[in-house]
Amino acid sequence: MRISTLLRHIREGFKNILRNGWMSFASISSIFFSLFLLGVFVLLALNINSMASNIESQVQIRVYLQTDIDQQKTNELENKIRKLADVSKVEFVSKEEGLELLRKNLGKDGDALLDGYDKDSNPLPDSFTVEVFDPQNIAVTASEISALNNGDEAKPITSVKYGQGTVEKLFKITNAIRNIGLVIVIGLGVTAMFLISTTIKMTILARRREIGIMKLVGATNSFIRWPFFVEGALIGLVASGITTIVVLLAYSQLVSMNEMELGLLMIKLMPVEELGWKITALLMGLGTLIGVWGSTLSVRKYLKV
């Protein structure tokens, strides 16, 4: 296709939008409301997934050691744990550090409850805090750590704890939330595609006489189709652009206005900078694609061009 022909199709696409103002407005409005609803639920799904990931990332394995284990044995055990496939971080916690952490966790009652315990009378053992790359595999990693006792007469590990039972329930809940969010987003996406394409089809169907006249004067199929393709793409681009701006501005205000209140509830919304490009790419791409797709189906199948 020559550049002059392409420019002609683009000009005709713009003219068609202005010439059919009310139908174009109806198409843009339909795309706007459909994509706005989709964008809101995508933002909700992304934030829920982020919160679930943050909760999962806090799951750790605590490896408690024998009280009489020497430093060499401790170092050997630490190296073995580090070599496990899914282990991302290993931190040694001495019994003194463990006592201080326990005191802090108990809050204002810590000093009273632990009064009298010092370095010599500390009942806590040394331990390791282990983090994994994939929290969903934490049970497998815990079993691998426990197995390090096998074949070792000293049996340096007394217990391995990761919240067994509670962690599995937590993962079931977070996975269910993710799956429900994904189903809702896909459902809304399909619904938006149907509504938008139907509106564009009606827009083009209302101009079937114009297309018939063009056929009578000898216009080729491609000559007729291209302005409609351009028109559909422009309508989708304009509507999705407006939707993206409105959604991101509203979300930015929500983050700013509720940062303190949500922070008190331990709920932190994702920053606009982190997900803005995702929402922009999704809404702009989907809106433009559906605009072209609706025009293509209408011209090819409904108008029999």
Side-chain angles (χ1 to χ4, degrees):
M1 182 185 297
R2 292 182 300 179
I3 295 179
S4 58
T5 304
L6 178 61
L7 292 176
R8 181 264 171 195
H9 292 328
I10 294 175
R11 286 196 302 271
E12 287 299 314
F14 274 107
K15 289 180 181 179
N16 287 340
I17 293 176
L18 298 176
R19 189 183 301 125
N20 301 278
W22 283 110
M23 292 301 296
S24 298
F25 176 77
S27 298
I28 291 174
S29 299
S30 174
I31 296 175
F32 171 80
F33 287 113
S34 299
L35 291 184
F36 180 81
L37 187 60
L38 177 62
V40 169
F41 274 90
V42 169
L43 284 172
L44 179 62
L46 288 173
N47 277 282
I48 289 176
N49 183 68
S50 176
M51 293 174 192
S53 298
N54 288 335
I55 293 173
E56 290 178 352
S57 66
Q58 296 176 22
V59 177
Q60 298 175 330
I61 302 173
R62 295 300 298 270
V63 183
Y64 295 96
L65 309 179
Q66 296 284 359
T67 56
D68 58 348
I69 185 173
D70 58 39
Q71 188 62 45
Q72 181 180 352
K73 200 68 176 178
T74 300
N75 293 338
E76 291 177 358
L77 181 60
E78 181 176 353
N79 290 331
K80 290 180 180 179
I81 295 175
R82 289 185 185 278
K83 291 179 181 179
L84 295 177
D86 204 41
V87 171
S88 62
K89 182 180 179 181
V90 180
E91 182 179 355
F92 176 74
V93 181
S94 67
K95 60 182 182 180
E96 291 79 16
E97 293 173 331
L99 184 63
E100 287 302 314
L101 288 174
L102 180 59
R103 198 185 301 273
K104 290 181 181 179
N105 291 335
L106 292 174
K108 60 181 181 180
D109 298 324
D111 292 333
L113 292 173
L114 299 176
D115 185 32
Y117 290 103
D118 54 21
K119 181 177 180 180
D120 296 327
S121 60
N122 185 353
L124 299 179
D126 293 335
S127 63
F128 290 115
T129 299
V130 181
E131 297 179 9
V132 295
F133 289 108
D134 184 2
Q136 300 279 345
N137 295 330
I138 196 167
V140 176
T141 304
S143 298
E144 292 175 346
I145 294 174
S146 297
L148 295 176
N149 262 345
N150 298 337
D152 192 327
E153 296 181 359
K155 304 294 182 184
I157 300 174
T158 58
S159 63
V160 178
K161 299 184 181 296
Y162 63 93
Q164 186 175 6
T166 302
V167 168
E168 284 79 4
K169 292 179 182 178
L170 172 65
F171 289 157
K172 286 182 180 180
I173 293 173
T174 55
N175 288 334
I177 291 173
R178 287 192 180 101
N179 292 334
I180 292 172
L182 181 61
V183 169
I184 292 175
V185 169
I186 292 176
L188 285 173
V190 173
T191 303
M193 292 177 66
F194 175 77
L195 291 175
I196 295 169
S197 63
T198 299
T199 303
I200 294 177
K201 290 173 188 175
M202 292 176 62
T203 302
I204 297 177
L205 187 61
R207 291 152 59 189
R208 58 187 180 274
R209 180 176 297 181
E210 173 187 341
I211 296 176
I213 293 174
M214 294 175 68
K215 288 286 290 183
L216 288 175
V217 298
T220 62
N221 288 346
S222 61
F223 189 84
I224 296 173
R225 287 192 184 108
W226 270 99
F228 285 102
F229 296 164
V230 173
E231 180 181 354
L234 290 173
I235 288 175
L237 186 63
V238 171
S240 58
I242 296 173
T243 307
T244 301
I245 294 172
V246 172
V247 168
L248 291 181
L249 284 177
Y251 180 75
S252 177
Q253 289 296 317
L254 179 64
V255 173
S256 300
M257 292 172 59
N258 295 280
E259 187 174 13
M260 182 177 295
E261 290 83 353
L262 294 176
L264 294 175
L265 297 174
M266 303 302 290
I267 298 174
K268 184 177 181 181
L269 296 176
M270 297 177 67
V272 179
E273 298 79 11
E274 186 173 340
L275 48 71
W277 67 271
K278 297 178 182 178
I279 296 297
T280 301
L282 173 66
L283 297 183
M284 296 287 288
L286 188 60
T288 305
L289 177 63
I290 293 175
V292 175
W293 178 55
S295 299
T296 302
L297 292 181
S298 300
V299 174
R300 182 174 297 174
K301 294 184 178 180
Y302 284 80
L303 303 183
K304 307 296 182 183
V305 176

